[in-house]
mmCIF file of all heavy atoms in Angstrom:
data_model
loop_
_atom_site.group_PDB
_atom_site.id
_atom_site.type_symbol
_atom_site.label_atom_id
_atom_site.label_comp_id
_atom_site.label_asym_id
_atom_site.label_seq_id
_atom_site.Cartn_x
_atom_site.Cartn_y
_atom_site.Cartn_z
ATOM 1 N N LEU A 35 129.977 -37.236 32.282
ATOM 2 C CA LEU A 35 128.904 -38.108 31.813
ATOM 3 C C LEU A 35 129.510 -39.410 31.300
ATOM 4 O O LEU A 35 129.032 -40.552 31.594
ATOM 5 C CB LEU A 35 128.038 -37.469 30.750
ATOM 6 C CG LEU A 35 127.108 -36.365 31.213
ATOM 7 C CD1 LEU A 35 126.407 -35.678 30.031
ATOM 8 C CD2 LEU A 35 126.037 -36.958 32.191
ATOM 9 N N THR A 61 117.160 -55.983 51.229
ATOM 10 C CA THR A 61 116.082 -55.026 51.387
ATOM 11 C C THR A 61 114.892 -55.685 52.069
ATOM 12 O O THR A 61 113.748 -55.273 51.842
ATOM 13 C CB THR A 61 115.616 -54.491 50.032
ATOM 14 O OG1 THR A 61 115.366 -55.509 49.086
ATOM 15 C CG2 THR A 61 116.684 -53.548 49.407
ATOM 16 N N ASN A 101 110.023 -50.929 51.368
ATOM 17 C CA ASN A 101 111.457 -51.109 51.646
ATOM 18 C C ASN A 101 112.351 -50.523 50.510
ATOM 19 O O ASN A 101 113.365 -50.035 50.736
ATOM 20 C CB ASN A 101 111.761 -52.576 51.844
ATOM 21 C CG ASN A 101 111.183 -53.077 53.138
ATOM 22 O OD1 ASN A 101 110.673 -52.324 53.944
ATOM 23 N ND2 ASN A 101 111.195 -54.435 53.285
ATOM 24 N N ASP A 125 141.155 -33.184 41.746
ATOM 25 C CA ASP A 125 141.067 -33.331 40.286
ATOM 26 C C ASP A 125 142.438 -32.936 39.644
ATOM 27 O O ASP A 125 142.593 -33.247 38.472
ATOM 28 C CB ASP A 125 139.956 -32.474 39.764
ATOM 29 C CG ASP A 125 140.052 -30.977 40.321
ATOM 30 O OD1 ASP A 125 139.634 -30.820 41.431
ATOM 31 O OD2 ASP A 125 140.609 -30.130 39.549
ATOM 32 N N GLY A 217 131.857 -27.078 40.151
ATOM 33 C CA GLY A 217 132.957 -26.606 39.384
ATOM 34 C C GLY A 217 132.859 -25.092 39.057
ATOM 35 O O GLY A 217 133.904 -24.358 39.162
ATOM 36 N N GLY A 225 128.151 -17.862 43.303
ATOM 37 C CA GLY A 225 128.152 -17.770 44.711
ATOM 38 C C GLY A 225 127.301 -18.846 45.415
ATOM 39 O O GLY A 225 126.535 -19.576 44.728
ATOM 40 N N SER A 280 122.030 -21.135 53.749
ATOM 41 C CA SER A 280 123.176 -20.564 53.137
ATOM 42 C C SER A 280 124.143 -19.996 54.179
ATOM 43 O O SER A 280 125.357 -20.171 54.111
ATOM 44 C CB SER A 280 122.842 -19.503 52.134
ATOM 45 O OG SER A 280 122.009 -20.037 51.138
ATOM 46 N N LEU A 288 135.518 -23.637 54.993
ATOM 47 C CA LEU A 288 135.836 -24.381 53.774
ATOM 48 C C LEU A 288 135.668 -23.480 52.549
ATOM 49 O O LEU A 288 135.193 -22.356 52.620
ATOM 50 C CB LEU A 288 134.863 -25.553 53.677
ATOM 51 C CG LEU A 288 134.820 -26.566 54.763
ATOM 52 C CD1 LEU A 288 133.661 -27.547 54.609
ATOM 53 C CD2 LEU A 288 136.142 -27.310 54.850
ATOM 54 N N ALA A 336 93.509 -59.688 30.659
ATOM 55 C CA ALA A 336 93.561 -60.190 32.004
ATOM 56 C C ALA A 336 93.729 -61.718 31.904
ATOM 57 O O ALA A 336 93.594 -62.328 30.888
ATOM 58 C CB ALA A 336 92.199 -59.874 32.704
ATOM 59 N N ILE A 529 125.813 -60.864 14.873
ATOM 60 C CA ILE A 529 124.374 -61.025 15.074
ATOM 61 C C ILE A 529 123.988 -62.467 14.848
ATOM 62 O O ILE A 529 123.191 -62.981 15.627
ATOM 63 C CB ILE A 529 123.520 -60.036 14.187
ATOM 64 C CG1 ILE A 529 123.753 -58.608 14.639
ATOM 65 C CG2 ILE A 529 122.038 -60.383 14.155
ATOM 66 C CD1 ILE A 529 123.043 -57.579 13.823
ATOM 67 N N ALA A 565 100.769 -88.204 38.747
ATOM 68 C CA ALA A 565 100.135 -88.015 37.508
ATOM 69 C C ALA A 565 101.036 -88.410 36.338
ATOM 70 O O ALA A 565 100.627 -88.199 35.161
ATOM 71 C CB ALA A 565 99.792 -86.467 37.327
#
Side-chain angles (χ1 to χ4, degrees):
L35 288 174
T61 53
N101 292 348
D125 51 279
S280 300
L288 299 171
I529 289 179

